[in-house]
Amino acid sequence: RIHSSSSRRIPRPPPLLLLWMRVTITRPSLTRLPGHIRTPQRALVTAALLLHTMATAEKTMRAAQVKAFGEIDQVLMMTDSCPIPTLRPPLSAVPNAGADGEKLIKKEENKKKKKPVTHVLVKVLACSLSPGDCRMLGGYKDIMCTPEKLGSSWPYIPGLDVCGEVTELDPNDDSGRFKVGDRVVGTWDTVGMGGMAEYALVRTDFAATIPKDLTISDVEGAALANSASHALNILDRAAVKSGERVLIIGGSGGLGTLLIQLCKSIGASYVCAVSSDTELCRSLGAHRAVDYRTELWSDVAEFKKDPFDVVLDLAVGVQAWKDARRSGVLKSGGKGGRFVAVVLNEWHIVIHKYYQLFGFILPPLFRQMSSWFTSFFTPRYKMYIGTANAESIEKVFGALRDRRIGRVVVDKESPHPFTLEGVKAAFRRQESRRGKGKVVVDMSKRE
């Protein structure tokens, strides 16, 4: 195979063309070109045909792919012959050919009434992982999250929390927000797919250009793509105010490391983080860090004496809510106490049937509604269900500029190389929940 400098693969010319070239040069009498075209000219004709074949050949890229739902080591694979994704042609370029053409034109005209979904093609520089990537790979939510239901196919490319360089613009995008060569941060809507590759399509409404006045590495950009937006959204949902006491359960993860800094920047009078890496949490500004392996946060006498205003649960689920209610470490709703649940029930989510989907949504909804009526005696329960998009990524850049986020924490084993073993190791690290900060794959690392 022939490799170009852009890592795009061009298939070997067809064997029949190579045979024709050899026969043309060595046995010109056997070819059907006019006799007055001599051997050197025949070679030029052959070379022209060869170049044409190479130019029209499908360009390919390296990509990690998932061939089926299952275990990481069994279903993840790496290919160097994945087609590079292409952008849609302009909406005006609709064929006008009889009745079929008229139907296509009407279909496109109907689309024009709505704002079209547009993308940018980016050369991926780094890609980070989120819990949802592991849940997708394992098929734990296959009632609604399969490649076919999400507009893709098997095998699919996992992940889409990326930092990349724009290489091509969507002809249907008239926003003017991007230009070729821009370094962008992009994320996903429902499930991330397509990012663990050399090139990816990123929706323009889920991407933002990195400002020139910010110094962000490619790995840091990918680490911020999704978690930082959710951290800001969670802070808004919790409505943390200056002078309040905040407990963060899961303080050393991708979300927790950011929320410690954000709560401190708001002026929280006391921030406590629950984590196995207490040193990391304290280095980010936590006044105290509780190691859950040796101490239960709900049993700390100091917290019962001076309860928290806010508890942010990023790691446990319904058991953390029960502990906060019974222990008295969180103020009642009447005194402003609120519990924000990012993990709604359990960390491990299994939704294969519709009744499991209802079982996932209804219990936290009931907890939220019932806490309104009992808030005089118990804390207020708040579900968090949010999304990241271009607007929230822009807010993240603002938080970096204002030093509300002073440090982007990347797991000590990251960045992983963009090899089969490197991608598998990244997924294993994410699935283990032992990563501190974000797990990231660097596309420039190949060993």
Side-chain angles (χ1 to χ4, degrees):
R1 295 189 173 188
I2 302 171
H3 297 262
S4 69
S5 58
S6 64
S7 300
R8 299 185 179 187
R9 289 179 170 270
I10 300 177
R12 183 182 178 87
L16 288 177
L17 178 59
L18 292 175
L19 177 63
W20 187 87
M21 181 177 70
R22 179 177 298 178
V23 172
T24 298
I25 295 175
T26 59
R27 301 290 299 276
S29 61
L30 297 180
T31 65
R32 295 186 177 182
L33 288 174
H36 64 277
I37 301 181
R38 302 185 183 280
T39 299
Q41 295 168 313
R42 292 173 184 270
L44 290 175
V45 172
T46 301
L49 288 171
L50 178 61
L51 289 173
H52 175 74
T53 300
M54 294 171 64
T56 57
E58 185 178 48
K59 294 180 173 61
T60 58
M61 64 178 180
R62 169 176 285 198
Q65 292 183 318
V66 178
K67 61 183 178 181
F69 291 142
E71 298 295 326
I72 292 169
D73 289 326
Q74 297 175 357
V75 301
L76 261 177
M77 59 184 184
M78 185 73 74
T79 178
D80 287 319
S81 57
C82 182
I84 293 177
T86 56
L87 293 162
R88 291 191 311 163
L91 295 179
S92 58
V94 180
N96 185 10
D100 291 337
E102 290 178 4
K103 289 179 181 178
L104 286 171
I105 291 173
K106 288 180 180 179
K107 184 177 179 181
E108 295 300 330
E109 285 176 348
N110 290 331
K111 286 182 179 179
K112 287 181 182 180
K113 295 177 182 178
K114 301 178 182 178
K115 186 177 179 180
V117 174
T118 57
H119 300 77
V120 285
L121 179 65
V122 302
K123 180 180 180 181
V124 181
L125 304 172
C127 180
S128 69
L129 294 180
S130 296
D133 296 319
C134 291
R135 293 174 184 137
M136 176 71 179
L137 182 144
Y140 298 120
K141 299 188 293 182
D142 58 2
I143 188 68
M144 51 188 175
C145 295
T146 66
E148 298 92 340
K149 291 176 181 178
L150 297 169
S152 185
S153 60
W154 295 100
Y156 77 90
I157 300 172
L160 195 56
D161 293 330
V162 299
C163 177
E165 180 182 319
V166 176
T167 60
E168 189 177 348
L169 302 177
D170 194 321
N172 302 303
D173 179 25
D174 57 2
S175 68
R177 294 174 51 226
F178 304 98
K179 62 180 183 296
V180 173
D182 281 349
R183 219 161 51 103
V184 299
V185 168
T187 188
W188 40 270
D189 181 10
T190 307
V191 174
M193 289 193 297
M196 198 66 71
E198 289 181 311
Y199 293 86
L201 289 179
V202 181
R203 280 179 54 169
T204 55
D205 52 343
F206 287 87
T209 302
I210 299 175
K212 299 294 185 183
D213 62 331
L214 290 181
T215 303
I216 304 173
S217 70
D218 300 333
V219 170
E220 289 173 335
L224 289 166
N226 190 270
S227 293
S229 291
H230 284 291
L232 290 174
N233 293 342
I234 291 166
L235 203 65
D236 290 340
R237 179 66 171 152
V240 177
K241 303 178 186 68
S242 177
E244 291 190 321
R245 292 168 56 85
V246 182
L247 175 68
I248 300 172
I249 304 173
S252 58
L255 275 175
T257 53
L258 294 165
L259 280 166
I260 291 173
Q261 300 175 71
L262 289 168
C263 288
K264 284 283 291 182
S265 71
I266 284 177
S269 61
Y270 188 85
V271 177
C272 177
V274 179
S275 168
S276 60
D277 196 335
T278 56
E279 184 177 347
L280 171 61
C281 294
R282 283 192 293 266
S283 72
L284 294 169
H287 296 92
R288 177 171 176 176
V290 175
D291 189 340
Y292 61 84
R293 298 172 299 183
T294 59
E295 188 177 18
L296 293 176
W297 56 268
S298 57
D299 291 342
V300 178
E302 175 192 344
F303 299 162
K304 295 181 179 182
K305 182 179 178 181
D306 191 3
F308 292 97
D309 298 281
V310 181
V311 172
L312 305 177
D313 176 27
L314 316 176
V316 177
V318 65
Q319 187 58 50
W321 165 242
K322 293 178 180 178
D323 291 342
R325 288 185 63 189
R326 69 164 178 79
S327 64
V329 301
L330 178 60
K331 294 178 181 178
S332 67
K335 295 181 179 179
R338 55 247 190 235
F339 182 99
V340 178
V342 178
V343 180
L344 301 182
N345 296 298
E346 305 292 339
W347 178 266
H348 186 59
I349 299 172
V350 177
I351 306 177
H352 297 309
K353 304 292 183 180
Y354 283 109
Y355 76 85
Q356 292 175 314
L357 178 60
F358 295 133
F360 175 74
I361 292 294
L362 292 181
L365 272 175
F366 176 77
R367 289 192 287 271
Q368 180 168 285
M369 293 175 63
S370 63
S371 74
W372 277 85
F373 300 102
T374 61
S375 62
F376 188 79
F377 306 102
T378 63
R380 283 279 308 280
Y381 181 95
K382 291 186 173 185
M383 297 169 57
Y384 170 74
I385 300 176
T387 186
N389 53 34
E391 183 181 356
S392 64
I393 295 173
E394 294 282 1
K395 291 180 180 178
V396 170
F397 294 150
L400 289 166
R401 188 178 291 109
D402 299 339
R403 304 299 295 172
R404 284 177 287 151
I405 298 176
R407 178 180 168 192
V408 182
V409 180
V410 176
D411 182 58
K412 64 181 180 180
E413 294 187 9
S414 293
H416 295 266
F418 186 43
T419 61
L420 178 58
E421 286 308 313
V423 174
K424 285 183 176 181
F427 267 91
R428 285 194 292 266
R429 185 69 170 172
Q430 180 67 45
E431 188 178 58
S432 72
R433 302 183 65 191
R434 296 192 183 97
K436 309 303 177 187
K438 291 294 290 186
V439 177
V440 186
V441 174
D442 186 347
M443 302 313 183
S444 67
K445 294 180 66 175
R446 297 299 176 92
E447 57 181 31

